[in-house]
Amino acid sequence: MTTSSSPSPSSSLLVRAPVPEDYAGWKPLWDGYNAFYEREGPTALPEEITRVTWQRFFDAYEPVHALVAERDGRLVGLTHYLFHRSTTRIEPNCYLQDLFTLPSERGRGVGRQLIEGVYAHVKRVGAHRVYWQTHVTNTAGRMLYDKMASHDGFIVYGTLV
């Protein structure tokens, strides 16, 4: 039996862009995010998607970006976001696609700081709008999101074609 202790409240959190050497720390977070949305086992994403997603973060021509949260040398959270054009504004919109923190880090400000990191990048590039979606059952996430943004009331539809 193993036990784990909670990180001390005094340990500092660093939100930063990932570097290629972060893959080993990022991958378990990515897997945890996907498991949260029931993409594991027989419904897991193909490894090629994971590989290409990771490579996109380091390609200057890709509109896909990432931030990681690091505490005491360990990655404890991630966010992925992308910029895209819109027919209703000149500057790009930012879609915050993925946000995940280790369960042991929830309620410690990691998600908030990751979102704030996205906000800072959005401002630096001259954009103004960040939006995201989550599942209605994500009550813990929604408690944070309700503090950081407004629910626009839209219902998301999708299908594979």
Side-chain angles (χ1 to χ4, degrees), residues 9-67:
S10 63
S11 57
S12 63
L13 185 73
L14 173 65
V15 172
R16 61 174 175 78
V19 294
E21 296 78 22
D22 285 328
Y23 182 80
W26 170 86
K27 177 71 164 54
L29 296 168
W30 175 240
D31 290 343
Y33 173 79
N34 284 301
F36 180 83
Y37 284 106
E38 300 178 358
R39 292 185 296 258
E40 61 183 339
T43 60
L45 292 177
E47 187 57 36
E48 181 182 14
I49 291 176
T50 294
R51 182 181 51 78
V52 170
T53 296
W54 179 252
Q55 290 171 346
R56 285 177 173 161
F57 303 144
F58 306 102
D59 183 340
Y61 293 103
E62 283 284 346
V64 180
H65 303 274
L67 294 173

Side-chain angles (χ1 to χ4, degrees), residues 69-84:
E70 179 182 341
R71 188 184 306 278
D72 300 328
R74 178 178 180 223
L75 296 187
V76 297
L78 62 75
T79 188
H80 307 143
Y81 56 103
L82 57 100
F83 291 94
H84 67 85

